[in-house]
Amino acid sequence: MARLVFALNQSLDGYVDHMAFGPGPALFRHFIDDVRGLAGTVYGRRMYEVMRYWDEDHPEWDEAKRDYAAAWRSQPKWVVSRSLKSVGPNATLVKDDLEAAMRGLKAQLDGVIEVSGPELAGSLTDLGLVDEYRLYVHPVVLGGGKPFFVGPRPPLRLVASDRIDEDVIKLTYVPA
């Protein structure tokens, strides 16, 4: 049985913004290895549209970016959206009955299915489906924006803290 894991970069004050801070080389390598090991990823529409960047090669990419793109392209993706009509390669559109679709994925797959997008993660948490939260905390204070958690959560229990590079720590929580 697969586990749903919500993992995302965030600022010290709890906001996510991929344009405000990015991963250094060690964290980026960590993400490449992480993506290679996933059973797949579930995206909300907005996060999927951001990640579509990796669908096409760019001549300015270095080896690490090419490695990430190859890993990202090879993994199955499920995109939760009522507005999209189609999705890209190796992706499946989920339009209806989010709960049934996610319970089905958890039952049929093994390993980790990553959840990407705070609003989607909030919906899945409300359904009791998120098994783990991974917060990659960056030493940046944004002062506002889209929060990592979009609403109140049940109590969580810290199960691990790992320094990923000199500036970023990964905090891993499970529902208490």
Side-chain angles (χ1 to χ4, degrees), residues 32-82:
I32 294 167
D33 294 340
D34 179 65
V35 168
R36 282 188 179 134
L38 295 175
T41 303
V42 179
Y43 290 97
R45 180 193 52 81
R46 283 184 291 278
M47 186 61 73
Y48 178 68
E49 288 174 341
V50 167
M51 294 302 291
R52 292 290 311 266
Y53 168 80
W54 299 104
D55 271 341
E56 295 182 22
D57 289 329
H58 297 262
E60 71 277 8
W61 281 356
D62 60 14
E63 182 181 344
K65 288 182 178 173
R66 286 190 298 275
D67 285 351
Y68 185 87
W72 188 81
R73 291 173 192 161
S74 70
Q75 74 167 196
K77 300 161 211 51
W78 297 271
V79 182
V80 178
S81 173
R82 291 186 190 106

Side-chain angles (χ1 to χ4, degrees), residues 5 7 16 36 45 47 72 75-76 80 88 95 98 117 125 127 137 148 159 162:
V5 175
V16 299
R36 282 188 179 134
R45 180 193 52 81
M47 186 61 73
W72 188 81
Q75 74 167 196
V80 178
K95 285 183 155 279
L98 175 63
T125 296
L127 294 169
V137 182
F148 184 92
V159 294
D162 303 290

Side-chain angles (χ1 to χ4, degrees), residues 38-167:
L38 295 175
T41 303
V42 179
Y43 290 97
R45 180 193 52 81
R46 283 184 291 278
M47 186 61 73
Y48 178 68
E49 288 174 341
V50 167
M51 294 302 291
R52 292 290 311 266
Y53 168 80
W54 299 104
D55 271 341
E56 295 182 22
D57 289 329
H58 297 262
E60 71 277 8
W61 281 356
D62 60 14
E63 182 181 344
K65 288 182 178 173
R66 286 190 298 275
D67 285 351
Y68 185 87
W72 188 81
R73 291 173 192 161
S74 70
Q75 74 167 196
K77 300 161 211 51
W78 297 271
V79 182
V80 178
S81 173
R82 291 186 190 106
S83 61
L84 290 177
K85 302 295 183 224
S86 65
V87 290
N90 211 10
T92 302
L93 186 58
V94 177
K95 285 183 155 279
D96 300 309
D97 204 347
L98 175 63
E99 182 175 9
M102 295 305 105
R103 287 192 188 283
L105 285 178
K106 286 179 78 165
Q108 86 182 54
L109 299 174
D110 288 318
V112 170
I113 301 169
E114 209 161 79
V115 175
S116 192
E119 291 170 6
L120 173 61
S123 296
L124 293 171
T125 296
D126 291 344
L127 294 169
L129 293 173
V130 176
D131 300 295
E132 184 175 297
Y133 301 86
R134 295 179 187 165
L135 292 70
Y136 291 87
V137 182
H138 292 251
V140 175
V141 176
L142 297 178
K146 183 177 288 284
F148 184 92
F149 292 107
V150 294
R153 298 290 129 228
L156 300 174
R157 180 173 50 89
L158 179 68
V159 294
S161 61
D162 303 290
R163 189 175 186 159
I164 304 298
D165 68 15
E166 64 184 50
D167 290 329

Side-chain angles (χ1 to χ4, degrees), residues 12-40:
L12 283 173
D13 55 346
Y15 296 103
V16 299
D17 183 344
H18 72 279
M19 300 302 286
F21 49 86
L27 181 58
F28 196 65
R29 178 55 53 191
H30 169 83
F31 288 144
I32 294 167
D33 294 340
D34 179 65
V35 168
R36 282 188 179 134
L38 295 175

